[in-house]
Amino acid sequence: MTEKLPLVAITGRPNVGKSTLFNRLVGGRPALVHDTPGLTRDRRYGEADYFGTRLRLVDTGGLDPEAVKPGGGVSHDEVIGAGIHRQALRAIDEAEAVVLVVDGRAGLSAIDHQLAKQLRTTGKPVFLAVNKVDHPTVDHLVHDFHSLGLGTPYAVSAAHGRGIDALLEAIANTVGSRPAPDEAGDDDDDDAVSEWDPDETRNEDDEPTFDPDRTAVDDEDEPLRVAFVGRPNAGKSSLTNRLLGEERSLVHHVAGTTTDPVDTPFSIGERQYVLVDTAGIRRKAKIDADIEKISVTMAISQIDRADVVVLVIDAELGPAEQDARIAGMVEQAGRALVIALNKSDLITSDAQKAQLREAMKDTFHFLPWAPIVMLSAQRGDGVDRLLDMVEQVATQHRHRIPTAQLNRFFAEVIERMPPPLHHGRAIRIHYLTQATSRPPTFVLWANSPEGLAPSYKRFIANRLRERYGFRGTPLRIAVKARKDRHKPE
């Protein structure tokens, strides 16, 4: 079970540098940063480690009390603004401590005073981070913020890293969690789970030196990372919210509501997941705003980080060429794939169903192994089946076949369909091994690797699927030369 770490919420009014501070604390660039107010719309989580003291952080959108005043309008911006405010309040409610970020260059604002007053009523530790204080010559900007009544302000520059250590040390000393001394484990066990490299580990008989009948070592206690990807407005956020049973991602009929990828821990029974809601992926030719370009890039990057990718498609609109491109990215990345046809409750007539089946077959002709689940995120139909399928394809993705069993199977295949001749010479395949899982990767050892055409490798892959399933996962087939040990050097 994953250790429960103390949660710290980073909040403040819009565009004061909350996401930049979040990125600085957790490392890398997991949150989208741009000088557009209201860009962060959902809660985003990450972890920080300060000399062994571990913290969980949540980045929020800008708190704006005006957005939730009664009598407001119902425009897209107003609906989104109110939703951002609700998400930020939920993050504060679940956190053990709060970092209030203010803009040192812009100075105090009425909203800063409102937020400070609101945070004091929570009774939780509040750390005041005066951001954009990039140089000691402007440290005097901090003095005005003493009037907020939140204790000593911390002068920081999230963009340049100035003052971050002092802030992080104060947070860690107040709410930090240190791992138990025996939690680190023994590094000597690392070699037991390392993957076999066929180029480096051969004995004198040119056979692999690892135990060929061992099974893959996969830590099933680790959370399964599931990324929802697809075109804009396909229902990714609605599906995430349906699974979680709460408004975790903002939903609006206007495409582009989700900008950052949103990671959410989730569990059913003892099974742990991390659900990742991503921005809609449009064709490059249709992307003109810098923010959307970054959003799409970050959404695509989640494919590489996922264990299982769920490609969400609007069943009423049907699949498009862009869906095929996204599925191709998943296959190229070697990730398990499930295709979810959302809004399937709107497909009622037999003619509509037949048309959809034909469109899916044509669009995804290159992925016959990808399972399809019909569901409705709005009504909840089929959502349980989706999770069952995600679990099944994750199991197939990490499946490993013992070498002895694999070669008994392969002997039957060779007998039925020997490799074709190459330049008039017979190609001899000595044996087949599975080098890795996730995705399952197989190595053919042959005397003339260059003679094995891609069509024969596809034939082998199809036979493997017939015998062992591998539903929902791509397969990799590599061919390597086996040295002739009777041939002089």
Side-chain angles (χ1 to χ4, degrees):
M1 187 70 70
T2 304
E3 179 192 359
K4 185 173 177 59
L5 301 177
L7 181 65
V8 180
I10 300 175
T11 191
R13 60 187 173 87
N15 216 34
V16 293
K18 297 180 298 297
S19 292
T20 305
L21 180 60
F22 175 82
N23 291 347
R24 175 67 64 177
L25 294 173
V26 305
R29 195 191 75 172
L32 200 162
V33 178
H34 197 274
D35 59 0
T36 301
L39 186 57
T40 301
R41 297 174 176 179
D42 305 290
R43 288 169 281 164
R44 289 187 44 80
Y45 295 83
E47 289 186 15
D49 188 314
Y50 185 74
F51 295 102
T53 301
R54 297 169 59 205
L55 302 163
R56 192 159 169 251
L57 302 170
V58 55
D59 180 27
T60 69
L63 276 168
D64 183 4
E66 295 295 321
V68 290
K69 280 189 174 180
V74 291
S75 71
H76 170 257
D77 288 343
E78 288 167 321
V79 172
I80 294 298
I84 293 170
H85 190 85
R86 286 197 308 273
Q87 291 282 346
L89 290 179
R90 287 181 181 178
I92 293 169
D93 186 56
E94 68 181 7
E96 296 180 32
V98 181
V99 177
L100 175 62
V101 185
V102 294
D103 188 333
R105 286 203 302 253
L108 269 171
S109 72
I111 294 180
D112 291 331
H113 279 286
Q114 282 182 268
L115 298 181
K117 181 179 179 181
Q118 187 174 358
L119 292 176
R120 285 197 302 270
T121 64
T122 66
K124 299 178 179 182
V126 180
F127 302 89
L128 179 60
V130 183
N131 192 26
K132 306 181 185 179
V133 183
D134 301 335
H135 195 272
T137 57
V138 290
D139 278 351
H140 63 276
L141 297 175
V142 173
H143 300 322
D144 289 345
F145 292 92
H146 283 277
S147 64
L148 293 179
L150 296 176
T152 303
Y154 292 87
V156 302
S157 171
H160 303 293
R162 181 172 183 260
I164 297 298
D165 275 355
L167 174 64
L168 196 50
E169 182 181 13
I171 298 170
N173 288 339
T174 304
V175 296
S177 170
R178 292 186 179 274
D182 60 348
E183 197 174 342
D186 189 350
D187 291 340
D188 293 339
D189 291 335
D190 289 349
D191 292 340
V193 297
S194 61
E195 298 290 3
W196 169 59
D197 183 346
D199 282 329
E200 296 178 2
T201 55
R202 298 186 187 178
N203 60 22
E204 62 182 6
D205 292 325
D206 199 31
E207 299 291 342
T209 57
F210 73 123
D211 178 1
D213 288 331
R214 74 174 184 178
T215 56
V217 181
D218 286 301
D219 189 355
E220 294 190 34
D221 290 333
E222 284 296 306
L224 188 68
R225 191 174 181 85
V226 183
F228 296 101
V229 302
R231 288 183 289 153
N233 223 28
K236 301 179 292 298
S237 296
S238 296
L239 184 54
T240 302
N241 291 343
R242 170 62 66 176
L243 285 166
L244 297 172
E246 63 166 322
E247 184 191 30
R248 180 61 187 82
S249 296
L250 294 184
V251 177
H252 196 270
H253 66 274
V254 175
T257 303
T258 302
T259 51
D260 273 333
V262 181
D263 296 11
T264 310
F266 169 68
S267 63
I268 293 183
E270 295 299 314
R271 190 54 162 127
Q272 304 290 319
Y273 298 87
V274 174
L275 304 184
V276 186
D277 182 21
T278 67
I281 303 174
R282 296 199 296 170
R283 289 192 296 116
K284 287 183 179 179
K286 291 190 174 182
I287 301 173
D288 49 17
D290 288 344
I291 293 172
E292 188 177 358
K293 288 177 184 176
I294 300 171
S295 295
V296 169
T297 300
M298 294 178 76
I300 292 172
S301 73
Q302 293 303 314
I303 292 174
D304 287 324
R305 297 182 60 206
D307 298 305
V308 179
V309 176
V310 177
L311 173 56
V312 184
I313 296 172
D314 185 331
E316 193 174 27
L317 297 177
E321 185 180 348
Q322 180 66 359
D323 295 310
R325 287 196 187 96
I326 297 170
M329 295 176 196
V330 178
E331 198 279 338
Q332 187 68 31
R335 299 298 177 256
L337 173 66
V338 178
I339 300 174
L341 281 173
N342 188 29
K343 309 178 189 179
S344 294
D345 52 312
L346 303 179
I347 308 300
T348 55
S349 71
D350 291 340
Q352 284 178 305
K353 293 175 183 177
Q355 185 178 7
L356 181 58
R357 277 195 300 269
E358 196 62 31
M360 292 293 291
K361 185 177 178 182
D362 290 344
T363 304
F364 300 107
H365 61 88
F366 60 101
L367 296 175
W369 45 265
I372 300 170
V373 177
M374 309 279 285
L375 57 87
S376 169
Q378 186 176 31
R379 295 193 344 185
D381 303 346
V383 174
D384 289 343
R385 289 198 304 273
L386 174 65
L387 269 187
D388 289 343
M389 186 57 68
V390 163
E391 195 63 48
Q392 289 177 37
V393 301
T395 300
Q396 295 289 291
H397 193 231
R398 62 176 175 257
H399 185 49
R400 189 190 290 274
I401 306 169
T403 300
Q405 181 187 136
L406 190 58
N407 279 286
R408 286 194 295 270
F409 150 78
F410 191 58
E412 299 172 13
V413 173
I414 291 290
E415 185 177 352
R416 190 195 323 170
M417 178 68 73
L421 298 177
H422 178 58
H423 296 318
R425 292 182 55 206
I427 298 175
R428 184 182 176 193
I429 301 178
H430 300 283
Y431 54 89
L432 174 69
T433 59
Q434 184 175 354
T436 65
S437 59
R438 296 190 293 187
T441 301
F442 299 88
V443 180
L444 293 166
W445 296 92
N447 61 347
S448 299
E450 69 280 2
L452 278 181
S455 58
Y456 193 75
K457 289 191 281 185
R458 285 196 297 272
F459 168 76
I460 297 297
N462 289 336
R463 301 293 80 75
L464 283 166
R465 289 190 187 280
E466 285 178 4
R467 177 65 64 89
Y468 299 107
F470 291 117
R471 189 181 188 197
T473 179
L475 297 183
R476 301 282 189 259
I477 306 289
V479 186
K480 289 189 175 288
R482 184 191 181 198
K483 294 177 183 177
D484 187 348
R485 54 180 171 269
H486 301 296
K487 184 176 179 179
E489 294 291 340

